[in-house]
Amino acid sequence: ANGFDGCCGAPSNVFFKEINAFYYGRCKVIVSVRDDSDAWFNSVKCTWHQYGTILSSLPFRLSAKYARNYRLIRYLYWILLKVDIECFKQDPSFVKQRYNEWKRFVQQSIFPKENVLIYNCSKGGWKPLCRFLNKPIPKNETFP
């Protein structure tokens, strides 16, 4: 679309159904997953959640620019997982459950079914990714 072959992360992960519908179901959706919900939780806790925690501190909340970013992160947590950012501290098992529900929701929402790949980077390598995208496997290039 407009010179781009793909999109990833926020906000496309929120609007994947609308994007797919706009392109008449021709989109290929790759849902990247971790080995399990504990690995996902630890990853998010060290990245997005850490950023949200920093932005929630008083000096950042007083800055309009950073307060807007914090509201965006809280909004994404709510849209994707239906949890508040505070749930990461208060109820990690509930957050992990919501993550697993989100994965199932995405997988069930894409039509046709052959246009969705649930992909674990730590286990997959080039072969399933290239097969799904109908691209040749890179020669002499290790998977990052």
Side-chain angles (χ1 to χ4, degrees):
N2 297 330
F4 295 96
D5 291 324
C7 55
C8 67
S12 60
N13 55 352
V14 175
F15 300 109
F16 73 93
K17 284 174 65 174
E18 292 81 357
I19 294 168
N20 192 47
F22 183 80
Y23 289 101
Y24 307 103
R26 294 179 305 197
C27 294
K28 292 201 171 210
V29 177
I30 301 169
V31 182
S32 60
V33 297
R34 303 285 182 191
D35 291 336
D36 56 36
S37 58
D38 289 328
W40 170 83
F41 183 84
N42 291 331
S43 173
V44 171
K45 195 168 74 172
C46 293
T47 55
W48 273 87
H49 185 70
Q50 198 68 11
Y51 183 56
T53 301
I54 292 167
L55 291 177
S56 69
S57 65
L58 184 60
F60 285 99
R61 283 192 314 219
L62 296 175
S63 162
K65 174 184 174 186
Y66 292 110
R68 188 172 44 245
N69 288 346
Y70 178 65
R71 285 192 308 273
L72 174 63
I73 288 174
R74 288 188 70 174
Y75 177 73
L76 290 173
Y77 274 117
W78 182 253
I79 291 295
L80 294 173
L81 301 172
K82 303 290 187 266
V83 298
D84 187 83
I85 196 168
E86 294 303 314
C87 277
F88 271 78
K89 290 184 233 166
Q90 298 166 358
D91 196 353
S93 61
F94 179 70
V95 175
K96 293 172 194 177
Q97 174 189 331
R98 295 297 299 152
Y99 163 71
N100 288 324
E101 290 170 7
W102 172 255
K103 285 190 311 186
R104 281 191 298 277
F105 171 73
V106 172
Q107 192 171 12
Q108 294 167 357
S109 298
I110 299 297
F111 292 97
K113 293 294 182 200
E114 59 268 11
N115 284 5
V116 65
L117 173 66
I118 305 298
Y119 185 70
N120 186 331
C121 292
S122 67
K123 295 179 180 176
W126 287 119
K127 189 174 182 178
L129 186 59
C130 292
R131 185 178 334 127
F132 178 71
L133 297 172
N134 297 317
K135 299 290 181 186
I137 296 173
K139 295 182 193 254
N140 303 323
E141 193 167 329
T142 58
F143 188 78

